[in-house]
């Protein structure tokens, strides 16, 4: 019974209030939620218009009862996560979430329960059948009647794995020197600030150096040879520092080394 009410509310999250009112008036919806008639759920979700709407949705809508059990999930779970429709019915929703995000899921459900009918969005990794964990933006809404108690949650999930991957690639490119593959000036500044913030001793060291007579070498042997020399120099510097120190190319032939962690003075003197 309660599953029927929750699934109908999930429908509202998929198609929006305007579309929903084409099929149910507000009073009819309230009466259905109050009665929680299983037959209404069976008839409603079996209608061609309902199947067409949820079948083409790019989101997965999951309805969860107060015990955390999945009582309804849109067929789009097949396309987004690779699981057959209905495969997760009767399972705990936390089983669908990567274990690393279980605490985050518990927090957002508890927060949503304190303010029914308002939404909260959280990033969660969900399991998929063949592609490994998928990064998602999941909006959680706690559902209750006008005067009734809390009855469950609706989770609307969008796969943002590709978008996140592109963002990470762009961020990496913004902090990477294209010639040497090492960090650039932007990365050096950010990492220096971060190291100062978290350093227990409050100390870090930055060493700056350049290649003597690089311009003469570059002009006489050509830019290709100059580029090769810069790449070799960056590799040599990396071999001279500890794994957690940072080597960056900060100008044409200029490099910087960020020395951080324990024993900064001794590491610099060496």
């Amino acid at each position: 019974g309660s599953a029927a009410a929750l699934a109908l509310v999930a429908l509202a999250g998929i198609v929006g209030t305007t579309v929903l009112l084409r099929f149910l008036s507000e009073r009819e919806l309230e009466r259905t939620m109050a009665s929680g008639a299983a037959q209404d759920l069976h008839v409603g979700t079996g209608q061609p218009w309902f199947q067409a709407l949820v079948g083409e949705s790019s989101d997965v809508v999951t309805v969860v009862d107060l015990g955390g059990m999945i009582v309804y999930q849109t067929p789009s779970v097949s396309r987004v996560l690779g699981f057959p429709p209905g495969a997760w019915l009767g399972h705990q929703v936390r089983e669908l979430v990567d274990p690393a995000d279980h605490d985050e899921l518990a927090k957002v459900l508890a927060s949503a329960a304190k303010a029914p009918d308002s939404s909260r969005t959280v990033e969660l990794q969900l399991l998929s059948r063949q592609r490994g964990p998928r990064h998602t933006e999941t909006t959680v809404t706690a559902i209750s009647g006008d005067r009734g108690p809390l009855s469950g949650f609706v989770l609307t999930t969008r796969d943002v794995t590709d978008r996140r991957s592109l963002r990470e690639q762009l961020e990496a490119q913004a902090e990477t020197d294209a010639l040497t593959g090492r960090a650039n000036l932007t990365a050096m500044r950010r990492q220096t600030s971060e190291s100062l913030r978290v350093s227990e001793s409050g100390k870090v060291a930055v060493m700056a150096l350049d290649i003597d007579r690089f311009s003469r070498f570059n002009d006489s042997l050509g830019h290709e040879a100059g580029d090769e020399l810069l790449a070799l120099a960056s590799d040599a510097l990396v071999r001279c520092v500890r794994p957690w120190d940072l080597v960056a190319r900060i100008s044409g032939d200029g490099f910087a080394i960020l020395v951080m962690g324990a024993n900064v003075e001794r590491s610099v003197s060496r």
Side-chain angles (χ1 to χ4, degrees):
S2 60
L6 292 174
L8 285 172
V9 174
L11 171 61
I14 304 169
V15 301
T17 303
T18 303
V19 177
L20 177 63
L21 292 181
R22 292 174 56 189
F23 310 104
L24 295 172
S25 70
E26 291 184 2
R27 290 183 180 179
E28 288 172 334
L29 179 58
E30 290 172 359
R31 285 198 299 269
T32 302
M33 291 178 63
S35 64
Q39 183 177 2
D40 290 341
L41 173 62
H42 175 74
V43 172
T45 58
Q47 292 296 319
W49 56 264
F50 182 90
Q51 295 298 327
L53 286 168
V54 300
E56 297 302 320
S57 174
S58 60
D59 298 341
V60 178
V61 177
T62 304
V63 185
V64 179
D65 68 14
L66 289 178
M69 185 178 72
I70 297 174
V71 297
Y72 179 77
Q73 196 167 52
T74 52
S76 52
V77 68
S78 176
R79 182 174 62 259
V80 177
L81 300 178
F83 296 110
W88 286 94
L89 296 183
H91 288 262
Q92 290 291 306
V93 67
R94 69 194 309 270
E95 297 177 42
L96 185 56
V97 177
D98 188 276
D101 287 340
H102 281 179
D103 288 345
E104 195 67 30
L105 173 66
K107 289 177 183 178
V108 73
L109 290 176
S111 177
K114 295 177 181 178
D117 303 319
S118 63
S119 298
R120 287 154 177 75
T121 300
V122 64
E123 291 191 5
L124 296 174
Q125 292 186 83
L126 299 190
L127 305 182
S128 69
R129 191 175 186 183
Q130 296 175 332
R131 298 183 293 170
R134 307 295 292 175
H135 292 279
T136 74
E137 286 182 354
T138 296
T139 300
V140 179
T141 305
I143 301 301
S144 65
D146 287 343
R147 289 177 292 276
L150 185 69
S151 54
F153 303 91
V154 176
L155 285 66
T156 305
T157 297
R158 175 161 295 181
D159 186 347
V160 296
T161 304
D162 293 341
R163 187 179 75 189
R164 181 188 175 103
S165 177
L166 176 60
R167 183 184 67 193
E168 291 175 347
Q169 289 177 23
L170 293 175
E171 290 174 350
Q173 290 173 7
E175 295 195 350
T176 301
D177 175 57
L179 175 62
T180 64
R182 307 298 175 190
N184 61 14
L185 180 59
T186 300
M188 174 61 73
R189 287 172 173 167
R190 179 188 59 75
Q191 189 61 54
T192 300
S193 298
E194 180 66 15
S195 297
L196 285 170
R197 186 180 66 82
V198 302
S199 173
E200 294 182 359
S201 66
K203 297 179 180 179
V204 300
V206 177
M207 297 184 289
L209 59 155
D210 59 18
I211 301 175
D212 291 342
R213 295 182 292 278
F214 177 76
S215 295
R216 184 183 303 176
F217 179 91
N218 199 46
D219 292 341
S220 61
L221 297 181
H223 292 293
E224 185 175 344
D227 290 348
E228 184 176 356
L229 177 59
L230 290 170
L232 290 172
S234 71
D235 291 343
L237 289 173
V238 169
R239 291 194 295 270
C240 294
V241 301
R242 301 170 300 178
W244 53 87
D245 295 329
L246 180 69
V247 173
R249 180 184 175 215
I250 58 175
S251 64
D253 67 330
F255 293 87
I257 301 173
L258 173 63
V259 181
M260 45 194 165
N263 302 317
V264 170
E265 295 91 344
R266 184 165 51 184
S267 298
V268 171
S269 65
R270 290 180 178 179

